[in-house]
Amino acid sequence: MNITSDALLTDLYELTMAQAYLAQGMTDIAVFEFFVRKLPPQRNFFMAAGLEQVLSYLEAFQFSDADIAWLDQTGGFSPASLSALRAMRFTGEVHAMPEGSLFFPHEPILRVTAPLPQAQLVETRVMNLLNFQTMVASKACRSVLVAGDKPLIDFGLRRAHGAEAGLLAARAAYLAGLAGTSNVSAGARFGIPIYGTMAHSFVQAHLDEAEAFTHIAEAQPRNVVLLIDTYDTEAAAEKVVSLAGRLNARGISIHGVRLDSGDLADHARKVRHILDRGGLTATQILASGNLDEERIQVLVAGQAPIDSFAIGTAMTTSADAPYLDCAYKLQEYAGRPCRKRSEGKATWPGRKQVYRRIGTDGRLNGDIITVEGDCREGQPLLDQVMQGGQRVASPPSLEDVRRYARLSLTQLPAPLRRIDRADPYDVRIAPALTELAEEVDLHT
Amino acid sequence: MNITSDALLTDLYELTMAQAYLAQGMTDIAVFEFFVRKLPPQRNFFMAAGLEQVLSYLEAFQFSDADIAWLDQTGGFSPASLSALRAMRFTGEVHAMPEGSLFFPHEPILRVTAPLPQAQLVETRVMNLLNFQTMVASKACRSVLVAGDKPLIDFGLRRAHGAEAGLLAARAAYLAGLAGTSNVSAGARFGIPIYGTMAHSFVQAHLDEAEAFTHIAEAQPRNVVLLIDTYDTEAAAEKVVSLAGRLNARGISIHGVRLDSGDLADHARKVRHILDRGGLTATQILASGNLDEERIQVLVAGQAPIDSFAIGTAMTTSADAPYLDCAYKLQEYAGRPCRKRSEGKATWPGRKQVYRRIGTDGRLNGDIITVEGDCREGQPLLDQVMQGGQRVASPPSLEDVRRYARLSLTQLPAPLRRIDRADPYDVRIAPALTELAEEVDLHT
């Protein structure tokens, strides 16, 4: 399933509309913006992610001969349309907030400015990429905020929604501040540090639990993390203590143990006591098993002696909010601002910019959404990242993006750092934008 | 992102464990089974899906030279392990319930019987594939059950979790009984019928809504479905009536209109009245916009004059239950049955079979889970589908799977067809299996 170069990965109506635009000569410049309409319950902010994959998609955008042949046999496309689609490349501009930026409802994080058929055709995949990574990064931040300096590892691949979800979730989570992932392919593709322990099956395949521990230690002597809850957690911790001397004599130290079931705080205390009494004070405790930011917060607040957490399904699927109420909307065509007025789904027209003020305490102090060109106090958040279908600069490294994300999180006002719902952050609509909306409504 | 052939798409611990197994000569036959521990709230059954992709993955399973080189540079693997991994293919057996089968908690739907390192290494991707498609098919069934004979279309790609999720969700939903998808690539890859209408942006890009309707009708004259809620739904319906005569004169009939916002039942009634009064009695009404099985049930029960529904995000992400509590567990190694006893996560040991009785009314009448070889009344549900790493038969067509799924749904007892939680279906554990579990516990 080779997906990156798949221009057919779109909704049929994008192609039908492109055909109509081409037939009518409607190829003037269109401006579409991507934004999220509202925060999921219990969320206080979003973190932008996925831009890098969007830009790669746009740079590579083209229909292959096989794509065109397939479209042809559907009978829905004229020879002129097919020929135009075959020749089409993305030649437009993109403005965007950098990955790792914090943002709020109705603030555009991406603006596409391109001939109408192009800007329309890329809608589906642009949304697909931005929705998913932004969703995961926004979710992962919450665990990062409550975990303090305890490292977090992504274990989510098995219940991610397919392969790409597993890969891009590992990326989005790392960007948001996780320490790494169990996903080997994500390590190979994105350079994310990879982590692994052992499974219950490994213990079960052995007749003796202690023998299983010895075998896995020999197989990964530099990173021995023993899973101790297959049968009896505390009994297994005692076995770990017994083994440690023999392994140490062979130059192998037991880096950690993993707890994956039961009352994690209670087991962690008992296991910590057993390890310490056995002299294994440097052996760490990793917790896993249906963890999310709420459970991590409880464990951290209760001072459970857990050194790091593995989080999987809840983060990778953003289980409490498995999608964003996002949109990619036409804001201007041929120099004419436009807006949608459908009930409950009205949008702000025109090309927009977001200005953000930072307080003297270094924290976010209010955003204002306005029309492009209406300069306001603060920092403009959308930068040009693509011109003529090409990036204006080489992409930042994932490490750089991760550093920017960490900096962004330090700018969060205290109430917004909480994982329950706080009073909303102050985002205003500038008079210039409300005036433009009124003007547009007068003419439609 | 070429994913199918990606053997690195796994958790690091699978590779570490494989290295340990190889080092210890633990290459005897292992049996792993995939099952789901419990039903999500409000769910009454699961529908199996994803087997086809699992078998393709297993047949193609191998590490490339590039994979091995990447693993080598991590420093975590011995030359002997890397050489064994490079040569490894999947040579095992697979038993499974056919796609489209209904199943219940603790019933295995897939059993892998293979040398331990192989059976372990494939765990992550096997789970990733079965969890996702089974989750989507199980969710999509619910809309199919409440919609009766009204066609349903998948519009979920834009908020699917990446590209593969969009493609496989379209497949799982079609298998479960949807009529088709908007996802063009899913049409091209799987032969699923594709459907499309038009977007609000198309209307906005025109100065005049009626002109937009004319242009899209000209671009897809055989399937004109006009989106009428961009500004004022009823006013747009009047425009549709006015246009119909002119389009008819050119041989173009208006197949349908789409409602995407507001009170869908109310708009549908008003629009139906306007269309009928204008003579467009054959013009259908398609509804979309945050639909799920609950909203569809209300619309159908209220006899809203809606002819078909498009469902997107809620189905594709299985928003009320975006993952299954699934597991892939070692049940036997080297002829010795085993089980995990971790708190709250204990499993039934050994190779298992599920027998299902069908009542005289043609409905499901109780399942029993037992050990393989313990024949029980009813139909055994797991069949052998792979031998020596190859399929034992060519794959059924997606149409055949879809027919089987439809038949399966007709076998659901009435209470289980409801979309709220019913009394659980009768699934028993055979004495032979409880005895085996007790025996295993005695020896561990």
Side-chain angles (χ1 to χ4, degrees):
Chain A
M1 204 173 262
N2 193 330
I3 283 171
T4 308
S5 62
D6 187 353
L8 294 187
L9 193 74
T10 191
D11 292 304
L12 177 58
Y13 78 172
E14 313 285 13
L15 287 159
T16 309
M17 290 189 285
Q19 170 157 269
Y21 293 141
L22 291 165
Q24 301 300 332
M26 291 177 67
T27 55
D28 285 336
I29 295 296
V31 176
F32 282 80
E33 289 176 344
F34 177 93
F35 59 95
V36 186
R37 291 192 186 94
K38 58 178 190 288
L39 285 161
Q42 297 199 296
R43 304 295 186 89
N44 295 316
F45 62 88
F46 300 109
M47 176 174 277
L51 176 61
E52 176 53 27
Q53 281 66 40
V54 166
L55 298 180
S56 294
Y57 165 72
L58 294 175
E59 281 190 340
F61 183 82
Q62 68 172 88
F63 292 92
S64 68
D65 288 335
D67 294 338
I68 296 299
W70 192 84
L71 290 174
D72 192 15
Q73 63 76 42
T74 67
F77 298 90
S78 68
S81 302
L82 292 172
S83 165
L85 290 175
R86 181 69 187 88
M88 191 181 288
R89 302 292 182 272
F90 182 78
T91 62
E93 291 175 12
V94 177
H95 293 72
M97 290 191 197
E99 290 190 286
S101 298
L102 303 181
F103 71 99
F104 300 90
H106 293 287
E107 296 183 344
I109 62 169
L110 180 105
R111 185 204 303 158
V112 170
T113 308
L116 181 56
Q118 295 174 24
Q120 183 76 64
L121 271 170
V122 302
E123 171 180 33
T124 307
R125 181 61 161 157
V126 166
M127 289 186 69
N128 173 273
L129 286 165
L130 288 181
N131 171 69
F132 180 62
Q133 283 200 65
T134 296
M135 177 189 84
V136 173
S138 302
K139 175 73 171 172
C141 285
R142 295 161 55 81
S143 289
V144 169
L145 287 170
V146 299
D149 54 3
K150 297 183 191 248
L152 301 173
I153 316 293
D154 158 44
F155 272 16
L157 174 57
R158 61 190 55 202
R159 293 203 193 84
H161 292 188
E164 195 181 70
L167 291 164
L168 296 182
R171 181 181 185 274
Y174 183 65
L175 179 165
L178 266 71
T181 181
S182 65
N183 184 333
V184 182
S185 186
R189 286 162 195 262
F190 300 123
I192 302 171
I194 53 173
Y195 290 84
T197 62
M198 61 187 288
H200 297 106
S201 55
F202 192 85
V203 175
Q204 294 171 265
H206 289 78
L207 287 168
D208 180 74
E209 194 176 26
E211 186 182 48
F213 292 162
T214 306
H215 287 168
I216 201 77
E218 289 167 349
Q220 54 171 6
R222 295 180 313 176
N223 177 37
V224 180
V225 181
L226 304 172
L227 176 64
I228 60 173
D229 75 327
T230 307
Y231 304 118
D232 178 309
T233 300
E234 285 74 34
E238 299 284 4
K239 293 178 195 176
V240 170
V241 169
S242 310
L243 277 176
R246 259 172 294 157
L247 287 172
N248 245 322
R250 297 163 59 190
I252 302 175
S253 64
I254 300 175
H255 178 69
V257 295
R258 174 157 77 103
L259 307 176
D260 188 50
S261 56
D263 179 335
L264 293 171
D266 183 54
H267 284 307
R269 285 199 185 87
K270 290 174 178 160
V271 166
R272 183 74 270 159
H273 181 70
I274 293 166
L275 296 175
D276 287 349
R277 202 184 50 200
L280 301 186
T281 53
T283 298
Q284 299 201 335
I285 297 178
L286 165 68
S288 62
N290 301 322
L291 291 178
D292 61 14
E293 60 271 30
E294 292 181 13
R295 294 187 189 190
I296 292 172
Q297 185 174 55
V298 170
L299 290 167
V300 170
Q303 297 186 296
I306 294 170
D307 301 285
S308 58
F309 299 95
I311 45 179
T313 308
M315 179 187 71
T316 300
T317 66
S318 184
D320 63 324
Y323 60 90
L324 302 179
D325 186 7
C326 59
Y328 173 88
K329 290 295 165 196
L330 181 67
Q331 312 292 17
E332 180 187 308
Y333 176 62
R336 175 176 58 81
C338 25
R339 75 186 295 201
K340 173 177 166 182
R341 289 203 314 268
S342 313
E343 296 162 52
K345 293 182 175 179
T347 63
W348 293 104
R351 303 179 190 212
K352 289 179 281 296
Q353 179 58 279
V354 182
Y355 287 86
R356 174 164 295 165
R357 282 171 296 141
I358 302 293
T360 50
D361 59 354
R363 305 292 178 93
L364 308 189
N365 194 28
D367 290 1
I368 192 159
I369 308 176
T370 189
V371 297
E372 195 187 47
D374 174 40
C375 289
R376 309 290 306 196
E377 192 192 343
Q379 175 78 16
L381 302 184
L382 291 132
D383 296 323
Q384 184 162 5
V385 292
M386 186 169 261
Q387 167 77 39
Q390 300 294 317
R391 284 176 173 87
V392 298
S394 42
S397 72
L398 186 54
E399 295 299 328
D400 284 345
V401 173
R402 190 163 178 264
R403 270 187 286 274
Y404 181 67
R406 191 184 310 160
L407 173 69
S408 298
L409 288 178
T410 65
Q411 297 181 325
L412 270 180
L416 300 190
R417 298 173 66 88
R418 288 171 17 200
I419 59 172
D420 54 344
R421 189 69 171 260
D423 287 339
Y425 176 67
D426 181 23
V427 178
R428 297 186 187 183
I429 304 297
L433 185 52
T434 49
E435 282 158 25
L436 181 66
E438 283 161 21
E439 201 177 310
V440 168
D441 289 350
L442 276 180
H443 296 89
T444 46
Chain B
M1 206 172 262
N2 193 330
I3 282 172
T4 308
S5 63
D6 187 353
L8 294 186
L9 194 75
T10 191
D11 292 303
L12 177 59
Y13 78 172
E14 313 286 12
L15 288 159
T16 309
M17 290 189 286
Q19 170 157 268
Y21 293 142
L22 292 165
Q24 302 300 331
M26 292 178 67
T27 56
D28 285 336
I29 294 297
V31 177
F32 282 80
E33 289 177 345
F34 177 93
F35 59 96
V36 185
R37 292 194 186 93
K38 59 177 190 287
L39 286 160
Q42 299 199 299
R43 304 294 187 90
N44 296 315
F45 62 87
F46 300 109
M47 176 173 277
L51 177 61
E52 177 54 26
Q53 281 66 40
V54 166
L55 298 180
S56 295
Y57 164 72
L58 294 176
E59 281 190 340
F61 182 81
Q62 69 173 86
F63 293 92
S64 68
D65 288 334
D67 294 338
I68 297 298
W70 191 84
L71 290 175
D72 192 16
Q73 62 78 40
T74 67
F77 297 91
S78 68
S81 302
L82 293 172
S83 163
L85 290 175
R86 180 70 186 89
M88 190 181 287
R89 303 293 182 273
F90 182 79
T91 62
E93 291 176 9
V94 177
H95 293 72
M97 289 190 197
E99 291 190 287
S101 298
L102 302 181
F103 71 99
F104 300 90
H106 293 287
E107 296 182 345
I109 62 168
L110 180 106
R111 184 203 305 158
V112 170
T113 307
L116 181 55
Q118 294 175 27
Q120 183 76 66
L121 271 170
V122 302
E123 171 179 34
T124 307
R125 181 61 160 155
V126 166
M127 289 186 69
N128 172 274
L129 286 164
L130 288 181
N131 170 70
F132 180 63
Q133 282 200 65
T134 296
M135 176 189 86
V136 174
S138 302
K139 174 74 170 172
C141 284
R142 295 161 55 81
S143 289
V144 169
L145 287 170
V146 300
D149 54 1
K150 296 182 191 245
L152 302 173
I153 316 293
D154 158 43
F155 273 16
L157 174 57
R158 62 189 56 200
R159 293 201 193 86
H161 292 188
E164 195 181 70
L167 291 163
L168 296 182
R171 180 181 185 276
Y174 183 64
L175 179 164
L178 267 72
T181 181
S182 65
N183 183 332
V184 182
S185 187
R189 286 163 195 260
F190 301 122
I192 301 171
I194 53 173
Y195 290 85
T197 62
M198 61 188 288
H200 297 106
S201 54
F202 192 84
V203 175
Q204 293 170 264
H206 288 78
L207 286 168
D208 180 73
E209 193 175 26
E211 186 183 49
F213 292 161
T214 306
H215 287 168
I216 201 78
E218 289 167 349
Q220 53 171 6
R222 295 180 313 175
N223 177 38
V224 180
V225 181
L226 303 172
L227 176 64
I228 61 174
D229 74 327
T230 306
Y231 304 117
D232 178 308
T233 300
E234 285 74 34
E238 299 282 6
K239 293 179 194 174
V240 170
V241 168
S242 309
L243 276 175
R246 259 172 294 156
L247 287 172
N248 246 320
R250 296 164 59 191
I252 302 175
S253 64
I254 299 176
H255 179 69
V257 295
R258 174 158 79 103
L259 308 176
D260 188 50
S261 56
D263 179 335
L264 292 171
D266 183 55
H267 283 307
R269 284 198 186 89
K270 290 175 179 159
V271 167
R272 183 74 269 159
H273 181 71
I274 293 166
L275 295 174
D276 288 349
R277 201 184 49 201
L280 301 187
T281 54
T283 297
Q284 299 200 335
I285 297 177
L286 165 68
S288 61
N290 301 322
L291 291 178
D292 60 15
E293 59 271 31
E294 291 181 14
R295 293 187 191 189
I296 292 172
Q297 184 174 55
V298 169
L299 290 166
V300 170
Q303 298 187 295
I306 294 170
D307 301 285
S308 57
F309 299 95
I311 45 180
T313 307
M315 179 188 70
T316 299
T317 66
S318 184
D320 64 324
Y323 61 91
L324 301 179
D325 186 6
C326 59
Y328 174 87
K329 290 294 165 195
L330 180 67
Q331 313 291 17
E332 180 188 309
Y333 177 61
R336 175 176 57 81
C338 27
R339 75 186 296 200
K340 172 176 166 182
R341 290 204 311 268
S342 313
E343 296 162 53
K345 293 183 175 178
T347 63
W348 292 104
R351 303 180 189 212
K352 289 179 282 296
Q353 179 58 278
V354 182
Y355 287 87
R356 174 164 295 166
R357 281 172 295 140
I358 302 294
T360 50
D361 59 355
R363 305 292 176 93
L364 307 189
N365 195 27
D367 290 2
I368 190 158
I369 307 176
T370 188
V371 296
E372 195 188 46
D374 174 41
C375 289
R376 308 291 306 197
E377 192 192 342
Q379 176 78 18
L381 301 184
L382 291 133
D383 296 323
Q384 183 163 5
V385 292
M386 186 169 260
Q387 167 77 40
Q390 299 296 317
R391 283 177 173 86
V392 299
S394 43
S397 72
L398 186 55
E399 294 300 329
D400 284 345
V401 173
R402 189 162 179 265
R403 269 187 286 275
Y404 181 67
R406 191 184 311 160
L407 173 68
S408 299
L409 288 178
T410 65
Q411 296 182 323
L412 269 180
L416 300 190
R417 299 173 66 89
R418 284 166 26 195
I419 59 171
D420 54 345
R421 189 71 170 260
D423 288 338
Y425 176 67
D426 182 22
V427 178
R428 298 188 186 180
I429 304 297
L433 185 52
T434 48
E435 283 157 25
L436 181 66
E438 284 161 21
E439 203 179 308
V440 168
D441 289 350
L442 275 180
H443 295 89
T444 43

